[in-house]
Amino acid sequence: DAGVTQSPTHLIKTRGQQVTLRCSPKSGHDTVSWYQQALGQGPQFIFQYYEEEERQRGNFPDRFSGHQFPNYSSELNVNALLLGDSALYLCASSAGPTGDEQYFGPGTRLTVT
Amino acid sequence: DQQVKQNSPSLSVQEGRISILNCDYTNSMFDYFLWYKKYPAEGPTFLISISSIKDKNEDGRFTVFLNKSAKHLSLHIVPSQPGDSAVYFCAASANSNYQLIWGAGTKLIIKP
């Protein structure tokens, strides 16, 4: 049973560029949440997708957007990258938007130069 | 404004002894608390949770205690094993809102 997978593992981008990160949820899960984890801090909630819609959103600017596909996989898009966007981006899946514990992928390390 | 605080960045414990990791929160609306463990280069792994209607939840070597009046929870690991060495995160949510608010983590080191 495959767990949560994310791609790519690492990514280096330049300020002002755009980036797309991808996530495939654990088998049987239909909800995907995205988190940003800066160095030395805990993950910060970006948003959650369920039934192909954004259901909840944290305190992140509109530069951060996402999408969920019919197969429940998800993308996180960040436009006009800033140096401060450098972080580990974690995807988590769960069975339902208020389901029990979330399962996390290994993350995508984004470096903005 | 940090709503979930883990004030100890690191903790070192002898193998076989008890590890106690602490977490404080400020938002009285939080009603569900979770502990996650994270190894380097991996995503966080769920360990144990507790609802605000309980004050204790146990799962094998792991026990979480919740003190609502003090807005404090703790994770006890006994006995501590070398494989327990990891970063432990406390997280909380309110009203079944699955927007988890996380602490900054505590790095636990188990000494042989």
Side-chain angles (χ1 to χ4, degrees):
Chain A
D1 175 26
V4 180
T5 59
Q6 292 186 243
S7 62
T9 306
H10 295 87
L11 203 51
I12 300 174
K13 289 286 189 177
T14 304
R15 269 183 306 176
Q17 286 189 316
Q18 179 264 345
V19 68
T20 297
L21 311 181
R22 295 178 175 82
C23 172
S24 290
K26 178 179 168 64
S27 177
H29 286 181
D30 57 6
T31 302
V32 173
S33 300
W34 286 93
Y35 293 83
Q36 179 195 68
Q37 186 179 12
L39 203 60
Q41 297 183 21
Q44 279 198 293
F45 176 80
I46 303 174
F47 43 52
Q48 180 190 77
Y49 276 84
Y50 172 65
E51 293 184 336
E52 301 181 48
E53 289 188 11
E54 183 182 296
R55 296 289 177 164
Q56 299 180 52
R57 189 178 182 92
N59 189 24
F60 278 80
D62 292 345
R63 297 187 298 109
F64 289 77
S65 63
H67 187 78
Q68 185 178 37
F69 299 94
N71 67 352
Y72 308 123
S73 67
S74 177
E75 288 181 349
L76 164 65
N77 301 293
V78 187
N79 295 322
L81 283 167
L82 303 174
L83 295 179
D85 295 332
S86 295
L88 179 69
Y89 288 85
L90 293 164
C91 167
S93 73
S94 58
T98 58
D100 214 333
E101 67 269 15
Q102 300 180 42
Y103 291 78
F104 284 80
T108 294
R109 173 71 63 186
L110 172 65
T111 302
V112 182
T113 61
Chain B
D1 175 29
Q2 272 190 296
Q3 298 186 62
V4 178
K5 298 179 183 179
Q6 293 177 258
N7 292 318
S8 298
S10 66
L11 175 67
S12 186
V13 175
Q14 201 74 36
E15 182 180 355
R17 299 288 187 102
I18 183 171
S19 295
I20 300 176
L21 297 102
N22 294 303
C23 178
D24 296 296
Y25 62 95
T26 57
N27 189 340
S28 57
M29 297 300 292
F30 287 150
D31 58 3
Y32 190 58
F33 304 88
L34 307 92
W35 284 94
Y36 282 82
K37 177 168 78 172
K38 187 178 186 300
Y39 293 119
E42 294 183 14
T45 303
F46 170 78
L47 262 181
I48 192 168
S49 63
I50 188 167
S51 162
S52 60
I53 62 173
K54 294 185 175 181
D55 54 18
K56 176 183 174 181
N57 189 25
E58 193 171 353
D59 184 3
R61 296 186 299 113
F62 302 91
T63 302
V64 56
F65 295 92
L66 175 62
N67 182 334
K68 290 187 290 293
S69 60
K71 294 191 177 66
H72 176 84
L73 65 156
S74 60
L75 174 69
H76 292 210
I77 307 173
V78 55
S80 299
Q81 299 175 354
D84 296 330
S85 294
V87 177
Y88 288 78
F89 291 98
C90 166
S93 68
N95 300 323
S96 298
N97 177 338
Y98 217 30
Q99 180 176 164
L100 292 180
I101 307 300
W102 297 65
T106 296
K107 184 175 183 179
L108 177 63
I109 300 164
I110 305 301
K111 300 179 293 185

